[in-house]
Amino acid sequence: QNTSNSKEPINGDIEFINVNLIYDDTKIKALDNLSFKINEGKQIGIFGKTGSGKTTIANLICRLYDVTNGAIKINNLDIKSTNLNTLRTSIGYIPQDGYLFSGTIRENISFADDLDNIEEVKIAAQKAEMLDEINSFPDKFNTIIGERGVQLSGGQRQRLAIARVFYKKPKIYIFDDCLSAVDANKEQKILKNLRIETKDKTTIIISHRVSTLEKSDNIIVLDNGAISEQGTHNELLKNKRFYSQIHVNQANK
């Protein structure tokens, strides 16, 4: 439900206050008394096992669900009091399997804009480390990618979805395990481009790979919908707990 007609722009300050979420259909408790804050211009990493509640946080920020108890604040206002259209147009959310349409590469990147700018499309593709590959296609940006991007590899599909968000230039960036099919070299270049792009914006990166999160200003580790650890990458390594153990395992692969 949208309860506001306010035109006030969204900033990037987000706060979860004792948030609980119980799914109505299954009665499963997805989040348990979750509290954390992200200040505008900062990057937070979210880490945890499958089913620990990572994607649920992204869904709540986009208001695809409302909390069962507790509150989420954006602009120091309860998210339920924020204009839903303004909220969602201020967010660039990339799920692991970002949806692509059967049109051209250009149309997919500029999806948020009725009057697309090809130069901006190219810049977005470059930031997503996709430009050289697109230029190698016979039809370049006019290449038809097929329904859900069937003509592209998994890593290309993810980078095309990332380019779409770079093109949009939102106030809040949410990367939800959307680099899982991207090779490590390109991943680090994209993350570097993201840090440059979001100096005055808010970034939430959800990942099962420690290397994706290590430059975050703060990392929360989830276990069964609750925070089990929290800190910078180096602080979490010193804890010698779950995050540190997974880092060792991934580094040795």
Side-chain angles (χ1 to χ4, degrees):
Q1 297 288 324
N2 186 20
T3 61
S4 172
N5 294 315
S6 170
K7 303 298 183 186
E8 184 179 345
I10 297 290
N11 67 30
D13 291 331
I14 303 170
E15 187 174 11
F16 277 54
I17 305 169
N18 302 324
V19 167
N20 292 276
L21 177 68
I22 300 171
Y23 289 118
D24 289 336
D25 50 353
T26 62
K27 304 304 178 187
I28 291 172
K29 193 168 196 176
L31 294 178
D32 185 8
N33 204 35
L34 196 69
S35 295
F36 65 90
K37 187 172 183 178
I38 320 164
N39 291 321
E40 186 175 25
K42 298 297 184 180
Q43 176 179 305
I44 191 169
I46 301 176
F47 186 77
K49 299 174 186 174
T50 301
S52 60
K54 302 188 298 297
T55 294
T56 303
I57 291 173
N59 289 337
L60 286 171
I61 293 170
C62 297
R63 265 201 88 198
L64 301 178
Y65 299 101
D66 280 329
V67 302
T68 307
N69 303 109
I72 300 171
K73 289 190 173 183
I74 292 184
N75 288 25
N76 285 321
L77 288 173
D78 191 299
I79 196 170
K80 295 178 185 177
S81 304
T82 303
N83 185 321
L84 191 56
N85 182 59
T86 303
L87 173 70
R88 289 183 178 162
T89 54
S90 301
I91 295 171
Y93 173 42
I94 315 164
Q96 183 173 2
D97 186 19
Y99 197 94
L100 300 177
F101 300 91
S102 60
T104 66
I105 288 174
R106 176 177 179 170
E107 289 167 338
N108 270 277
I109 292 176
S110 64
F111 181 71
D113 188 0
D114 292 333
L115 302 171
D116 68 328
N117 180 321
I118 187 59
E119 292 308 315
E120 290 293 326
V121 168
K122 289 177 181 178
I123 290 168
Q126 187 172 31
K127 290 174 182 174
E129 296 297 320
M130 187 76 177
L131 184 59
D132 290 344
E133 284 160 84
I134 294 171
N135 283 332
S136 73
F137 299 152
D139 294 326
K140 297 182 169 57
F141 282 88
N142 292 319
T143 301
I144 302 288
I145 64 169
E147 192 69 37
R148 297 187 70 86
V150 66
Q151 305 290 349
L152 304 175
S153 70
Q156 287 172 332
R157 287 196 295 272
Q158 287 188 333
R159 282 180 285 135
L160 193 57
I162 290 167
R164 179 188 289 167
V165 169
F166 276 128
Y167 182 89
K168 184 181 180 183
K169 298 184 178 72
K171 287 295 293 182
I172 299 166
Y173 288 71
I174 303 176
F175 278 38
D176 188 357
D177 223 358
C178 62
L179 292 158
S180 58
V182 177
D183 71 63
N185 184 43
K186 282 190 171 68
E187 177 193 51
Q188 289 306 313
K189 288 179 179 178
I190 292 168
L191 291 171
K192 182 179 179 181
N193 294 337
L194 179 67
R195 287 192 294 275
I196 294 168
E197 184 76 12
T198 59
K199 282 182 178 176
D200 59 345
K201 299 175 181 179
T202 301
T203 312
I204 299 158
I205 300 183
I206 299 166
S207 181
H208 65 280
R209 288 204 298 220
V210 170
S211 61
T212 309
L213 305 176
E214 58 186 16
K215 296 284 176 56
S216 299
D217 297 295
N218 187 37
I219 300 167
I220 61 173
V221 182
L222 294 181
D223 185 23
N224 290 322
I227 295 175
S228 59
E229 301 175 65
Q230 184 169 189
T232 65
H233 173 74
N234 289 333
E235 287 169 350
L236 292 173
L237 291 186
K238 290 176 184 175
N239 286 349
K240 304 291 184 184
R241 294 175 62 192
F242 177 71
Y243 182 92
S244 176
Q245 292 164 10
I246 297 300
H247 175 259
V248 171
N249 291 342
Q250 292 179 353
N252 289 335
K253 285 186 178 179

